[in-house]
């Protein structure tokens, strides 16, 4: 049994983190048995969540986990992909996880419109006496990471425009296909779904959320993935 450690669910999603949504969706796509446990970065093998524990080993980073479980369990989700399709999936995943992600972090953690919705979720899982002070510390740390990564050095308008450009590009690449690379879902769909659903579900992401909601194919894609892998959601 695979133990998946991730932040708790929020806004109708299984996890408040898009990487948690990605990881759990991929496990369902792969048909691997798992159990979810509450996870926080403290004690995680790479200092971040999600991570898994399997056969006495802890492993972090959602993509490294996917690749490891694919090898060790003979998962065939990507078996029929061409080299071109693999490359398209790779660059799309990297855009979402290394670019779009930071626009969403800024929208949630830094903007007042996002923070008012994110703060109660974190307060609910932090110790009641020191939760407020601890959350203020975490928010300052997130701001510092945004600055170090580079996104935080831009104006809010510029960061929002970057996120919207990613959403528009994703919608163009998806086109009228039912899944990102064709008629059947592949591993990249776990990431694409996670970011589309996280963007649409979060109530305070402003123009980035509006941009995603304005693409009918992204809205339909989310519904299609949830009907297949999250029917009770």
């Amino acid at each position: 049994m695979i133990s998946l450690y991730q932040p708790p669910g929020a806004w109708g999603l299984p996890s408040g983190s898009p990487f948690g949504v990605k990881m759990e969706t991929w496990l369902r796509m792969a048909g691997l048995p798992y159990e979810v446990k509450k996870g926080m970065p403290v004690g995680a093998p790479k200092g971040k969540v999600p991570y898994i524990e399997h056969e006495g080993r802890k492993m972090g980073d959602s993509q490294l986990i996917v690749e490891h479980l694919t090898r060790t369990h003979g998962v065939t989700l990507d078996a029929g992909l061409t080299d071109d399709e693999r490359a398209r999936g790779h660059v799309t995943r990297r855009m979402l996880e290394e670019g779009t992600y930071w626009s969403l972090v800024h929208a949630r953690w830094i903007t007042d419109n996002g923070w008012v919705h994110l703060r109660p979720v974190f307060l609910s899982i932090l110790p009641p006496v020191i939760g407020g002070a601890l959350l203020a510390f975490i928010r300052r740390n997130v701001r510092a990471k945004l600055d170090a990564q580079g996104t935080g050095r831009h104006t809010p308008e510029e960061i929002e425009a970057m996120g919207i450009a990613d959403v528009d590009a994703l919608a163009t690449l998806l086109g009228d296909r039912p899944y990102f690379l064709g008629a059947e879902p592949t591993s990249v769909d776990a990431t694409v779904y996670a970011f589309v659903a996280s963007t649409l579900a979060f109530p305070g992401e402003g123009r980035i959320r509006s941009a995603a909601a304005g693409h009918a194919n992204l809205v339909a894609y989310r519904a299609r993935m949830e009907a297949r892998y999250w029917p009770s959601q």
Side-chain angles (χ1 to χ4, degrees):
M1 176 69 73
I2 299 166
S3 295
L4 171 63
Y5 293 83
Q6 65 179 17
W11 316 297
L13 298 176
S15 174
S17 163
F19 292 100
V21 177
K22 167 195 172 179
M23 193 67 255
E24 191 170 354
T25 300
W26 185 87
L27 287 169
R28 290 184 173 217
M29 293 171 68
L32 298 180
Y34 70 95
E35 59 182 352
V36 177
K37 297 187 176 182
K38 180 180 177 181
M40 296 296 283
V42 177
K46 290 182 179 288
K48 60 181 184 178
V49 285
Y51 67 94
I52 66 165
E53 186 170 8
H54 182 48
E55 297 179 342
R57 176 189 179 188
K58 289 183 179 180
M59 187 172 190
D61 186 274
S62 64
Q63 190 58 28
L64 293 180
I65 295 169
V66 165
E67 293 170 6
H68 169 75
L69 293 177
T70 295
R71 289 191 303 269
T72 58
H73 288 74
V75 178
T76 59
L77 283 169
D78 300 339
L81 294 180
T82 65
D83 289 344
D84 179 75
E85 289 168 336
R86 289 180 186 275
R88 191 144 40 90
H90 175 80
V91 297
T92 300
R93 180 183 62 78
R94 294 286 291 179
M95 175 190 77
L96 292 170
E97 296 183 355
E98 305 296 339
T100 313
Y101 171 71
W102 293 103
S103 295
L104 301 185
V105 167
H106 180 270
R108 294 182 177 196
W109 284 89
I110 308 303
T111 70
D112 292 339
N113 185 43
W115 183 241
V116 72
H117 297 285
L118 185 66
R119 186 174 184 273
V121 173
F122 272 83
L123 284 178
S124 70
I125 62 176
L126 291 173
V129 177
I130 62 171
L134 184 58
L135 187 54
F137 170 80
I138 295 172
R139 192 185 190 198
R140 288 195 298 271
N141 190 43
V142 169
R143 191 185 296 271
K145 287 181 178 179
L146 273 165
D147 190 67
Q149 185 269 341
T151 299
R153 300 173 187 234
H154 303 301
T155 67
E157 293 77 17
E158 289 168 338
I159 296 170
E160 201 169 45
M162 292 174 186
I164 292 170
D166 289 350
V167 166
D168 292 345
L170 187 66
T172 298
L173 289 171
L174 175 62
D176 59 0
R177 288 185 293 272
Y179 300 101
F180 193 72
L181 294 176
E184 290 297 322
T186 58
S187 290
V188 71
D189 284 292
T191 299
V192 174
Y193 164 70
F195 276 83
V196 170
S198 295
T199 301
L200 290 172
F202 187 70
E205 273 170 1
R207 292 179 59 229
I208 299 176
R209 180 179 183 275
S210 295
H215 289 289
N217 64 338
L218 294 183
V219 175
Y221 171 84
R222 176 195 180 187
R224 191 176 303 118
M225 285 289 291
E226 289 180 351
R228 185 162 182 165
Y229 298 109
W230 296 97
S232 60
Q233 196 155 280

